[in-house]
Amino acid sequence: MGINLGEVFPNLECDTTVGHIKLHDYWGDGWGILFSHPADFTPVCTTELGTVASLIPEFTKRNVKCIALSCDPVESHNNWIKDIQAYSNIKSFGYPIISDPNRDYAIKLGMLDPAEKDKAGLPLTARAVFIVGPDKKLKLSLLYPATTGRNFNEVLRVIDSLQLTAYKKVATPADWKSGGDCMVLPTVSKEDAAKLFPKHVVKDVPSGKEYIRITPQP
Ligand code: BEZ
């Protein structure tokens, strides 16, 4: 199982470190992110969840509510949060962690990593990232193995791109950062491009095709 881009993200009913929640209610009218990790009290996960906690003001600025998930029980999550805060030198921990002891959500969302098992031999969750728009549809997903920690500045960067391209007829090129030049969408006609992006330039290429149209960020 799993979830494809454009599908409505399942409205999980789950136990978390802030009580029982329905995911769509938690996310509210804004953007949402759910990210999973393999296990509590593990080193890379500790760095990742601490990094997200320290970046909460950046997520809030972008109207994104974060939630984490792993197979461990809520009590374990709550005890581990104290370690994360100590390790990352942070006082607050501004997002909940979901408990998924039976792997129900991990199976539903295709997040299990068969290479990583707990002491009982059950598979752990991989490092998944799901970003959901205000319409609750999946806009982006990433899947990393347990041995590779994620770059959450990259996650903020893709949120900037998703939020820009949701409303403007542009796409963002490789290594784009907010404020950088964008590409006019291939579906925009020459006439509309002239009206919508009066400062755009067309890159001259050997094929003679006018498909690389570069505009300042609208
Ligand atoms: C970690 O978070 O350090 C980790 C967790 C599971 C497997 C490998 C690394």
Side-chain angles (χ1 to χ4, degrees):
M1 289 179 86
I3 173 164
N4 296 316
L5 296 185
E7 287 180 2
V8 172
F9 201 84
N11 191 8
L12 309 178
E13 275 203 50
C14 35
D15 291 322
T16 80
T17 48
V18 297
H20 194 78
I21 63 160
K22 274 181 134 179
L23 191 54
H24 289 191
D25 294 343
Y26 169 71
W27 279 332
D29 296 331
W31 291 67
I33 176 165
L34 182 150
F35 64 99
S36 61
H37 62 277
D40 297 353
F41 300 103
T42 52
V44 176
C45 299
T46 302
T47 63
E48 287 194 319
L49 273 80
T51 298
V52 172
S54 63
L55 288 174
I56 286 298
E58 291 299 319
F59 285 105
T60 304
K61 223 192 278 176
R62 292 163 174 80
N63 195 22
V64 181
K65 286 187 90 175
C66 298
I67 194 161
L69 177 150
S70 86
C71 307
D72 296 298
V74 166
E75 194 188 356
S76 162
H77 289 334
N78 278 323
N79 288 328
W80 181 43
I81 284 172
K82 293 171 207 150
D83 283 6
I84 299 171
Q85 287 176 295
Y87 176 80
S88 298
N89 199 19
I90 42 169
K91 290 206 168 54
S92 65
F93 192 85
Y95 61 98
I97 310 176
I98 298 170
S99 168
D100 184 23
N102 299 322
R103 280 66 173 162
D104 296 331
Y105 315 132
I107 293 166
K108 200 180 182 75
L109 296 168
M111 297 189 289
L112 281 183
D113 184 346
E116 297 293 339
K117 302 220 164 74
D118 68 9
K119 285 185 191 129
L122 292 171
L124 298 171
T125 26
R127 300 186 194 280
V129 178
F130 297 105
I131 300 174
V132 172
D135 57 3
K136 304 292 173 291
K137 290 184 179 164
L138 183 67
K139 306 298 180 191
L140 179 140
S141 65
L142 297 166
L143 191 59
Y144 282 44
T147 41
T148 304
R150 289 157 286 193
N151 181 333
F152 285 94
N153 284 308
E154 167 64 1
V155 172
L156 291 171
R157 190 192 75 86
V158 298
I159 289 168
D160 287 339
S161 171
L162 292 170
Q163 294 185 338
L164 172 71
T165 59
Y167 305 108
K168 304 285 181 185
K169 290 179 188 268
V170 292
T172 61
D175 299 331
W176 172 87
K177 285 200 186 92
S178 183
D181 284 350
C182 300
M183 300 301 189
V184 179
L185 282 183
T187 48
V188 176
S189 69
K190 194 169 176 171
E191 295 70 34
D192 285 348
K195 282 187 225 140
L196 291 171
F197 309 107
K199 292 190 176 156
H200 83 271
V201 292
V202 182
K203 179 81 180 166
D204 198 14
V205 283
S207 68
K209 296 182 195 291
E210 298 187 342
Y211 63 100
I212 303 180
R213 299 178 293 179
I214 305 165
T215 177
Q217 180 178 321

